[in-house]
Amino acid sequence: MLADADAASILGGLSSGEEYGYRLIWFVMLLSLPIFIIQEAAGRLGAISGKGIGELIREYYSRKVSILSIFPIFFVDFFTYLSEYAGIAIGCYLIGIDPLLGLIIFFILHVIIVLTKNYEVTERYLVVVSVILLLSALIIVGPKLNFTGQDIFYFSTSKNFLFFIAVNIGAVVTPPCMLIYQSSATAIKYPKIDINNSKKISWITIETLLGSIITELIIVLSEMIGTSIGNIDPTDPTQLLYNLGNVHYIFGITLISAGFLTLIVVSISSAWGLLEALGKNTYKNSVKIYIMESIPAILIVSLMLGNYSSVINFALTLLSLSPIIIVIPAVMVGILISNKKIMGKYAYTRTRLVAYFFTIVMIAIGGLVGILHL
Protein backbone atom coordinates (compact mmCIF):
# COMPACT_ATOMS: atom_id res chain seq x y z
CA MET A 1 0.00 0.00 0.00
CA LEU A 2 2.72 2.46 0.96
CA ALA A 3 4.41 2.06 -2.42
CA ASP A 4 1.61 4.35 -3.64
CA ALA A 5 3.46 7.10 -1.75
CA ASP A 6 6.40 6.80 -4.13
CA ALA A 7 9.14 9.33 -4.89
CA ALA A 8 7.12 11.01 -7.65
CA SER A 9 4.03 11.28 -5.41
CA ILE A 10 6.09 12.80 -2.58
CA LEU A 11 7.60 15.38 -4.95
CA GLY A 12 4.11 15.96 -6.34
CA GLY A 13 2.84 16.51 -2.79
CA LEU A 14 5.68 18.95 -2.20
CA SER A 15 4.66 20.82 -5.34
CA SER A 16 0.97 20.81 -4.30
CA GLY A 17 1.86 22.22 -0.89
CA GLU A 18 4.04 24.91 -2.44
CA GLU A 19 1.22 25.89 -4.81
CA TYR A 20 -1.85 25.60 -2.55
CA GLY A 21 -0.59 25.27 1.00
CA TYR A 22 -3.00 23.31 3.19
CA ARG A 23 -5.93 23.79 0.82
CA LEU A 24 -5.62 20.34 -0.79
CA ILE A 25 -5.20 18.37 2.44
CA TRP A 26 -8.94 17.70 2.75
CA PHE A 27 -8.95 16.20 -0.73
CA VAL A 28 -5.83 14.09 -0.19
CA MET A 29 -7.29 12.52 2.96
CA LEU A 30 -10.60 11.96 1.17
CA LEU A 31 -8.68 9.85 -1.34
CA SER A 32 -8.03 7.27 1.40
CA LEU A 33 -11.54 5.98 0.67
CA PRO A 34 -11.14 5.07 -3.04
CA ILE A 35 -7.67 3.59 -2.51
CA PHE A 36 -9.13 1.40 0.26
CA ILE A 37 -12.13 0.31 -1.81
CA ILE A 38 -10.06 -0.69 -4.84
CA GLN A 39 -7.18 -2.36 -3.02
CA GLU A 40 -9.40 -4.19 -0.52
CA ALA A 41 -11.29 -5.74 -3.44
CA ALA A 42 -8.04 -6.87 -5.09
CA GLY A 43 -6.68 -8.28 -1.82
CA ARG A 44 -9.91 -10.11 -1.00
CA LEU A 45 -10.02 -11.58 -4.51
CA GLY A 46 -6.46 -12.89 -4.20
CA ALA A 47 -7.01 -14.29 -0.72
CA ILE A 48 -10.16 -16.25 -1.55
CA SER A 49 -9.09 -17.51 -4.97
CA GLY A 50 -5.39 -18.01 -4.20
CA LYS A 51 -4.63 -16.46 -7.61
CA GLY A 52 -3.60 -13.11 -9.06
CA ILE A 53 -5.77 -10.88 -11.23
CA GLY A 54 -3.99 -11.76 -14.49
CA GLU A 55 -4.45 -15.48 -13.94
CA LEU A 56 -8.11 -15.13 -12.95
CA ILE A 57 -8.99 -13.00 -15.98
CA ARG A 58 -7.24 -15.50 -18.25
CA GLU A 59 -9.03 -18.49 -16.70
CA TYR A 60 -12.53 -17.01 -16.55
CA TYR A 61 -12.42 -15.02 -19.80
CA SER A 62 -9.51 -15.46 -22.18
CA ARG A 63 -5.81 -14.92 -22.60
CA LYS A 64 -6.50 -12.03 -25.00
CA VAL A 65 -8.72 -10.19 -22.50
CA SER A 66 -6.14 -10.75 -19.78
CA ILE A 67 -3.31 -9.34 -21.91
CA LEU A 68 -5.41 -6.33 -22.95
CA SER A 69 -6.17 -5.65 -19.28
CA ILE A 70 -2.62 -6.02 -17.98
CA PHE A 71 -0.29 -4.89 -20.78
CA PRO A 72 -1.07 -1.13 -20.50
CA ILE A 73 -0.07 -1.33 -16.82
CA PHE A 74 3.16 -3.09 -17.80
CA PHE A 75 3.86 -0.23 -20.23
CA VAL A 76 3.24 2.49 -17.61
CA ASP A 77 5.45 0.64 -15.13
CA PHE A 78 8.48 1.40 -17.30
CA PHE A 79 7.90 5.12 -16.82
CA THR A 80 7.39 4.50 -13.12
CA TYR A 81 10.92 3.06 -13.05
CA LEU A 82 12.16 6.32 -14.58
CA SER A 83 10.52 8.50 -11.95
CA GLU A 84 11.67 6.32 -9.03
CA TYR A 85 15.29 6.27 -10.20
CA ALA A 86 15.12 10.04 -10.71
CA GLY A 87 13.75 10.42 -7.16
CA ILE A 88 16.57 8.23 -5.82
CA ALA A 89 19.13 10.35 -7.70
CA ILE A 90 17.70 13.56 -6.19
CA GLY A 91 17.70 11.94 -2.74
CA CYS A 92 21.36 10.95 -3.15
CA TYR A 93 22.26 14.52 -4.10
CA LEU A 94 20.51 15.84 -0.98
CA ILE A 95 22.47 13.56 1.37
CA GLY A 96 25.80 14.22 -0.32
CA ILE A 97 26.22 11.08 -2.43
CA ASP A 98 27.14 11.38 -6.10
CA PRO A 99 23.82 10.67 -7.93
CA LEU A 100 25.43 8.33 -10.48
CA LEU A 101 27.16 6.34 -7.73
CA GLY A 102 23.88 6.25 -5.78
CA LEU A 103 21.98 4.94 -8.80
CA ILE A 104 24.55 2.17 -9.28
CA ILE A 105 24.44 1.22 -5.58
CA PHE A 106 20.64 1.05 -5.37
CA PHE A 107 20.35 -0.70 -8.71
CA ILE A 108 22.72 -3.41 -7.45
CA LEU A 109 20.76 -3.67 -4.17
CA HIS A 110 17.56 -3.97 -6.18
CA VAL A 111 19.03 -6.75 -8.31
CA ILE A 112 20.17 -8.62 -5.18
CA ILE A 113 16.69 -8.39 -3.64
CA VAL A 114 15.01 -9.55 -6.86
CA LEU A 115 17.39 -12.50 -7.24
CA THR A 116 17.34 -13.54 -3.56
CA LYS A 117 13.61 -12.82 -3.08
CA ASN A 118 14.21 -10.97 0.22
CA TYR A 119 11.16 -8.81 -0.45
CA GLU A 120 9.30 -8.90 2.82
CA VAL A 121 12.17 -7.92 5.16
CA THR A 122 13.28 -5.13 2.84
CA GLU A 123 9.76 -3.75 2.40
CA ARG A 124 9.05 -3.69 6.15
CA TYR A 125 12.32 -1.84 6.79
CA LEU A 126 11.68 0.75 4.07
CA VAL A 127 8.07 1.30 5.17
CA VAL A 128 9.18 2.10 8.73
CA VAL A 129 12.03 4.32 7.50
CA SER A 130 9.76 6.31 5.16
CA VAL A 131 7.12 7.02 7.82
CA ILE A 132 9.61 7.93 10.55
CA LEU A 133 11.66 10.20 8.30
CA LEU A 134 8.67 12.13 6.99
CA LEU A 135 7.37 12.67 10.51
CA SER A 136 10.83 13.87 11.55
CA ALA A 137 10.97 16.19 8.56
CA LEU A 138 7.62 17.71 9.51
CA ILE A 139 8.84 18.40 13.04
CA ILE A 140 12.11 19.95 11.87
CA VAL A 141 10.57 22.14 9.18
CA GLY A 142 7.83 23.22 11.60
CA PRO A 143 5.14 24.45 9.19
CA LYS A 144 2.62 26.87 10.62
CA LEU A 145 -0.31 25.09 12.25
CA ASN A 146 -2.44 28.16 13.06
CA PHE A 147 -4.51 27.89 9.90
CA THR A 148 -8.24 28.61 9.49
CA GLY A 149 -10.97 26.57 7.87
CA GLN A 150 -10.59 28.66 4.73
CA ASP A 151 -6.98 27.55 4.49
CA ILE A 152 -8.07 23.89 4.34
CA PHE A 153 -11.35 23.81 2.40
CA TYR A 154 -10.84 25.24 -1.05
CA PHE A 155 -12.04 24.38 -4.52
CA SER A 156 -11.66 26.02 -7.89
CA THR A 157 -12.44 25.24 -11.51
CA SER A 158 -9.23 26.84 -12.73
CA LYS A 159 -7.06 24.78 -15.07
CA ASN A 160 -4.17 24.75 -12.61
CA PHE A 161 -6.26 23.63 -9.63
CA LEU A 162 -8.01 20.86 -11.57
CA PHE A 163 -4.64 19.64 -12.83
CA PHE A 164 -3.36 19.33 -9.24
CA ILE A 165 -6.59 17.53 -8.29
CA ALA A 166 -5.98 15.09 -11.14
CA VAL A 167 -2.35 14.61 -10.08
CA ASN A 168 -3.43 13.73 -6.54
CA ILE A 169 -6.08 11.32 -7.84
CA GLY A 170 -3.40 9.75 -10.02
CA ALA A 171 -1.17 9.37 -6.98
CA VAL A 172 -3.82 7.09 -5.45
CA VAL A 173 -3.48 4.55 -8.26
CA THR A 174 0.16 5.07 -9.24
CA PRO A 175 1.87 2.80 -9.89
CA PRO A 176 -1.18 1.04 -11.41
CA CYS A 177 0.57 -2.30 -10.86
CA MET A 178 -0.36 -1.97 -7.16
CA LEU A 179 -3.68 -3.60 -8.07
CA ILE A 180 -1.81 -6.61 -9.44
CA TYR A 181 0.61 -6.70 -6.51
CA GLN A 182 -2.21 -6.57 -3.95
CA SER A 183 -4.03 -9.57 -5.38
CA SER A 184 -0.96 -11.73 -6.10
CA ALA A 185 0.92 -10.92 -2.88
CA THR A 186 -2.19 -11.56 -0.76
CA ALA A 187 -2.74 -14.84 -2.60
CA ILE A 188 0.81 -15.87 -1.65
CA LYS A 189 0.44 -14.62 1.92
CA TYR A 190 -2.91 -16.37 2.43
CA PRO A 191 -2.99 -19.19 -0.15
CA LYS A 192 -6.66 -19.87 -0.92
CA ILE A 193 -8.25 -19.02 2.42
CA ASP A 194 -10.85 -21.41 3.75
CA ILE A 195 -14.17 -19.86 2.80
CA ASN A 196 -15.23 -20.07 6.46
CA ASN A 197 -12.12 -18.32 7.82
CA SER A 198 -13.59 -14.86 8.37
CA LYS A 199 -10.74 -13.75 10.69
CA LYS A 200 -8.17 -13.62 7.89
CA ILE A 201 -10.60 -11.78 5.62
CA SER A 202 -11.23 -9.24 8.39
CA TRP A 203 -7.49 -8.78 8.86
CA ILE A 204 -7.03 -8.14 5.11
CA THR A 205 -9.65 -5.39 5.38
CA ILE A 206 -7.95 -3.85 8.43
CA GLU A 207 -4.50 -4.01 6.80
CA THR A 208 -5.76 -2.30 3.68
CA LEU A 209 -7.60 0.40 5.63
CA LEU A 210 -4.51 1.22 7.69
CA GLY A 211 -2.34 1.19 4.57
CA SER A 212 -4.64 3.56 2.68
CA ILE A 213 -4.81 6.07 5.55
CA ILE A 214 -1.06 6.05 6.24
CA THR A 215 -0.31 6.34 2.51
CA GLU A 216 -2.37 9.51 2.22
CA LEU A 217 -0.93 10.87 5.47
CA ILE A 218 2.55 10.61 3.95
CA ILE A 219 1.37 12.68 0.95
CA VAL A 220 -0.21 15.18 3.36
CA LEU A 221 3.07 15.50 5.25
CA SER A 222 4.94 16.17 2.03
CA GLU A 223 2.38 18.85 1.15
CA MET A 224 2.79 20.43 4.59
CA ILE A 225 6.56 20.50 4.08
CA GLY A 226 5.94 22.08 0.68
CA THR A 227 4.25 25.07 2.34
CA SER A 228 7.56 25.95 4.02
CA ILE A 229 10.04 25.80 1.15
CA GLY A 230 9.07 28.93 -0.76
CA ASN A 231 8.57 29.35 -4.48
CA ILE A 232 11.04 26.83 -5.91
CA ASP A 233 11.17 23.96 -8.37
CA PRO A 234 10.75 20.78 -6.25
CA THR A 235 12.51 18.77 -8.95
CA ASP A 236 15.66 20.90 -8.73
CA PRO A 237 17.94 19.28 -6.09
CA THR A 238 20.08 22.42 -5.70
CA GLN A 239 17.02 24.51 -4.82
CA LEU A 240 15.75 21.80 -2.49
CA LEU A 241 19.14 21.60 -0.78
CA TYR A 242 19.17 25.34 -0.13
CA ASN A 243 15.54 25.77 0.95
CA LEU A 244 15.09 22.64 3.08
CA GLY A 245 17.91 23.60 5.44
CA ASN A 246 18.97 20.86 7.86
CA VAL A 247 15.98 18.74 6.86
CA HIS A 248 17.51 18.00 3.45
CA TYR A 249 19.22 14.87 4.84
CA ILE A 250 15.94 13.47 6.14
CA PHE A 251 14.04 14.39 2.99
CA GLY A 252 16.78 12.88 0.81
CA ILE A 253 16.70 9.56 2.65
CA THR A 254 12.89 9.64 2.45
CA LEU A 255 12.98 10.02 -1.33
CA ILE A 256 15.47 7.16 -1.61
CA SER A 257 13.40 4.91 0.67
CA ALA A 258 10.10 5.69 -1.08
CA GLY A 259 11.61 5.25 -4.55
CA PHE A 260 13.39 2.02 -3.63
CA LEU A 261 10.28 0.52 -2.00
CA THR A 262 8.26 1.27 -5.12
CA LEU A 263 10.95 -0.20 -7.38
CA ILE A 264 10.63 -3.49 -5.52
CA VAL A 265 6.85 -3.53 -5.83
CA VAL A 266 6.90 -2.48 -9.49
CA SER A 267 9.52 -5.07 -10.47
CA ILE A 268 7.55 -7.88 -8.84
CA SER A 269 4.07 -6.89 -9.97
CA SER A 270 5.07 -6.07 -13.55
CA ALA A 271 6.47 -9.55 -13.94
CA TRP A 272 3.62 -11.25 -12.08
CA GLY A 273 0.86 -9.44 -13.95
CA LEU A 274 2.15 -9.92 -17.47
CA LEU A 275 3.26 -13.52 -16.93
CA GLU A 276 -0.02 -14.44 -15.21
CA ALA A 277 -1.85 -13.07 -18.25
CA LEU A 278 0.36 -15.10 -20.57
CA GLY A 279 0.20 -18.22 -18.40
CA LYS A 280 4.01 -18.35 -18.11
CA ASN A 281 4.61 -17.18 -14.57
CA THR A 282 7.96 -18.72 -13.71
CA TYR A 283 10.85 -17.24 -11.73
CA LYS A 284 13.16 -17.33 -14.77
CA ASN A 285 10.65 -15.40 -16.87
CA SER A 286 10.06 -12.86 -14.12
CA VAL A 287 13.79 -12.04 -14.02
CA LYS A 288 13.71 -11.50 -17.80
CA ILE A 289 10.80 -9.06 -17.45
CA TYR A 290 12.65 -7.23 -14.67
CA ILE A 291 15.76 -6.83 -16.85
CA MET A 292 13.64 -5.72 -19.83
CA GLU A 293 12.17 -2.80 -17.86
CA SER A 294 14.76 -1.90 -15.26
CA ILE A 295 18.06 -1.71 -17.15
CA PRO A 296 16.84 0.68 -19.91
CA ALA A 297 15.23 2.88 -17.23
CA ILE A 298 18.39 3.29 -15.14
CA LEU A 299 20.44 3.94 -18.29
CA ILE A 300 18.06 6.71 -19.37
CA VAL A 301 18.10 8.38 -15.94
CA SER A 302 21.89 8.05 -15.74
CA LEU A 303 22.24 9.81 -19.09
CA MET A 304 19.85 12.56 -17.95
CA LEU A 305 21.56 13.30 -14.62
CA GLY A 306 21.13 17.00 -13.84
CA ASN A 307 17.94 17.18 -15.90
CA TYR A 308 15.64 15.64 -13.28
CA SER A 309 12.91 18.18 -13.96
CA SER A 310 12.05 16.63 -17.34
CA VAL A 311 11.80 13.13 -15.89
CA ILE A 312 9.82 14.10 -12.78
CA ASN A 313 7.49 16.51 -14.58
CA PHE A 314 6.76 13.76 -17.07
CA ALA A 315 6.06 11.42 -14.15
CA LEU A 316 3.70 13.97 -12.57
CA THR A 317 1.86 14.27 -15.88
CA LEU A 318 1.64 10.49 -15.94
CA LEU A 319 0.14 10.60 -12.44
CA SER A 320 -2.78 12.56 -13.83
CA LEU A 321 -3.36 10.04 -16.64
CA SER A 322 -2.84 6.74 -14.83
CA PRO A 323 -6.47 6.49 -13.58
CA ILE A 324 -7.48 5.75 -17.18
CA ILE A 325 -4.92 2.93 -17.37
CA ILE A 326 -6.28 1.18 -14.29
CA VAL A 327 -9.96 1.26 -15.33
CA ILE A 328 -10.01 -2.00 -17.33
CA PRO A 329 -8.32 -4.26 -14.73
CA ALA A 330 -10.30 -2.54 -11.96
CA VAL A 331 -13.57 -3.27 -13.80
CA MET A 332 -12.48 -6.89 -14.24
CA VAL A 333 -11.80 -7.11 -10.50
CA GLY A 334 -15.33 -5.85 -9.85
CA ILE A 335 -16.80 -8.51 -12.12
CA LEU A 336 -14.69 -11.29 -10.61
CA ILE A 337 -15.34 -10.31 -7.00
CA SER A 338 -19.08 -10.51 -7.56
CA ASN A 339 -18.75 -14.06 -8.94
CA LYS A 340 -20.02 -16.49 -6.27
CA LYS A 341 -18.21 -19.41 -7.91
CA ILE A 342 -14.94 -17.69 -7.00
CA MET A 343 -15.86 -15.79 -3.85
CA GLY A 344 -18.57 -17.92 -2.25
CA LYS A 345 -20.17 -16.06 0.66
CA TYR A 346 -17.59 -13.27 0.33
CA ALA A 347 -18.85 -12.25 -3.11
CA TYR A 348 -19.75 -8.56 -3.20
CA THR A 349 -23.38 -7.71 -2.68
CA ARG A 350 -25.18 -5.45 -5.14
CA THR A 351 -24.84 -2.45 -2.81
CA ARG A 352 -21.12 -2.94 -2.31
CA LEU A 353 -20.61 -3.54 -6.02
CA VAL A 354 -22.38 -0.26 -6.84
CA ALA A 355 -20.08 1.56 -4.40
CA TYR A 356 -17.05 -0.13 -5.99
CA PHE A 357 -17.98 0.82 -9.57
CA PHE A 358 -18.94 4.33 -8.51
CA THR A 359 -15.40 4.66 -7.15
CA ILE A 360 -13.94 3.45 -10.46
CA VAL A 361 -16.04 5.99 -12.37
CA MET A 362 -14.87 8.84 -10.10
CA ILE A 363 -11.23 7.85 -10.57
CA ALA A 364 -11.71 7.64 -14.35
CA ILE A 365 -13.23 11.12 -14.35
CA GLY A 366 -10.15 12.32 -12.50
CA GLY A 367 -8.02 10.88 -15.30
CA LEU A 368 -10.15 12.62 -17.94
CA VAL A 369 -9.76 15.91 -16.08
CA GLY A 370 -6.01 15.36 -16.21
CA ILE A 371 -6.13 14.82 -19.99
CA LEU A 372 -8.27 17.89 -20.58
CA HIS A 373 -6.04 20.15 -18.48
CA LEU A 374 -2.58 19.10 -19.65
Side-chain angles (χ1 to χ4, degrees):
M1 293 293 296
L2 289 175
D4 274 327
D6 64 339
S9 296
I10 288 174
L11 289 171
L14 202 71
S15 183
S16 296
E18 179 192 7
E19 186 80 12
Y20 288 103
Y22 297 107
R23 290 177 290 178
L24 277 176
I25 289 178
W26 68 272
F27 185 73
V28 173
M29 289 311 303
L30 184 65
L31 291 174
S32 297
L33 184 58
I35 192 175
F36 165 72
I37 290 173
I38 292 175
Q39 297 288 20
E40 199 274 344
R44 180 178 292 233
L45 185 63
I48 295 297
S49 67
K51 299 175 181 178
I53 295 171
E55 185 176 355
L56 285 169
I57 297 174
R58 177 171 52 82
E59 286 186 2
Y60 282 86
Y61 293 93
S62 69
R63 184 181 181 186
K64 184 181 292 186
V65 173
S66 187
I67 293 172
L68 289 173
S69 300
I70 302 300
F71 186 77
I73 294 179
F74 172 79
F75 177 75
V76 170
D77 285 346
F78 172 75
F79 297 101
T80 303
Y81 271 110
L82 290 177
S83 63
E84 304 315 322
Y85 278 124
I88 288 172
I90 293 174
C92 288
Y93 181 90
L94 291 177
I95 65 175
I97 296 176
D98 179 83
L100 180 58
L101 177 62
L103 284 174
I104 294 171
I105 291 171
F106 288 104
F107 175 75
I108 292 172
L109 288 174
H110 190 200
V111 171
I112 291 172
I113 291 169
V114 169
L115 295 180
T116 60
K117 305 181 186 179
N118 288 325
Y119 307 128
E120 190 172 357
V121 173
T122 307
E123 288 172 5
R124 287 181 179 179
Y125 170 74
L126 290 172
V127 162
V128 173
V129 169
S130 296
V131 174
I132 290 175
L133 289 173
L134 268 175
L135 287 171
S136 301
L138 177 62
I139 294 170
I140 293 174
V141 172
K144 296 178 181 178
L145 298 176
N146 57 335
F147 47 80
T148 64
Q150 189 176 2
D151 294 325
I152 301 177
F153 300 103
Y154 175 78
F155 188 82
S156 169
T157 56
S158 68
K159 180 178 180 179
N160 190 59
F161 184 83
L162 291 177
F163 176 73
F164 273 96
I165 287 288
V167 166
N168 279 280
I169 292 174
V172 170
V173 292
T174 303
C177 63
M178 286 297 297
L179 198 67
I180 298 170
Y181 186 90
Q182 181 81 336
S183 63
S184 299
T186 308
I188 292 171
K189 185 176 181 179
Y190 301 114
K192 201 160 188 180
I193 289 179
D194 181 352
I195 206 70
N196 296 312
N197 195 335
S198 59
K199 287 185 178 180
K200 286 186 177 179
I201 292 296
S202 298
W203 178 240
I204 289 168
T205 301
I206 293 169
E207 273 188 313
T208 310
L209 180 61
L210 289 173
S212 62
I213 292 172
I214 295 172
T215 295
E216 294 309 302
L217 279 174
I218 290 176
I219 304 300
V220 165
L221 288 173
S222 66
E223 291 195 3
M224 295 179 79
I225 293 170
T227 65
S228 303
I229 62 174
N231 187 21
I232 68 169
D233 178 4
T235 64
D236 186 333
T238 56
Q239 292 187 39
L240 281 175
L241 184 65
Y242 178 78
N243 286 272
L244 285 173
N246 292 330
V247 79
H248 69 84
Y249 291 107
I250 292 176
F251 196 77
I253 297 173
T254 301
L255 279 178
I256 293 170
S257 298
F260 195 59
L261 171 62
T262 305
L263 282 177
I264 294 169
V265 172
V266 170
S267 61
I268 298 170
S269 52
S270 271
W272 281 349
L274 186 61
L275 294 174
E276 283 173 1
L278 293 172
K280 298 181 179 181
N281 196 5
T282 65
Y283 175 68
K284 185 177 180 180
N285 287 335
S286 67
V287 172
K288 290 179 181 178
I289 296 295
Y290 164 73
I291 293 172
M292 187 188 304
E293 286 191 306
S294 188
I295 291 180
I298 192 171
L299 288 175
I300 290 171
V301 175
S302 297
L303 292 172
M304 295 182 68
L305 285 177
N307 190 21
Y308 307 109
S309 181
S310 298
V311 178
I312 297 296
N313 285 334
F314 178 79
L316 292 177
T317 301
L318 195 65
L319 281 177
S320 67
L321 303 179
S322 57
I324 302 298
I325 302 296
I326 205 173
V327 165
I328 295 177
V331 167
M332 296 305 298
V333 168
I335 295 172
L336 291 168
I337 205 166
S338 61
N339 188 329
K340 291 187 177 181
K341 291 183 180 179
I342 302 173
M343 300 300 295
K345 68 178 184 180
Y346 293 107
Y348 270 16
T349 61
R350 181 176 296 180
T351 301
R352 192 160 185 178
L353 201 59
V354 168
Y356 176 83
F357 280 112
F358 177 78
T359 301
I360 301 301
V361 170
M362 291 296 101
I363 288 176
I365 290 174
L368 291 174
V369 169
I371 293 174
L372 295 174
H373 291 84
L374 288 178

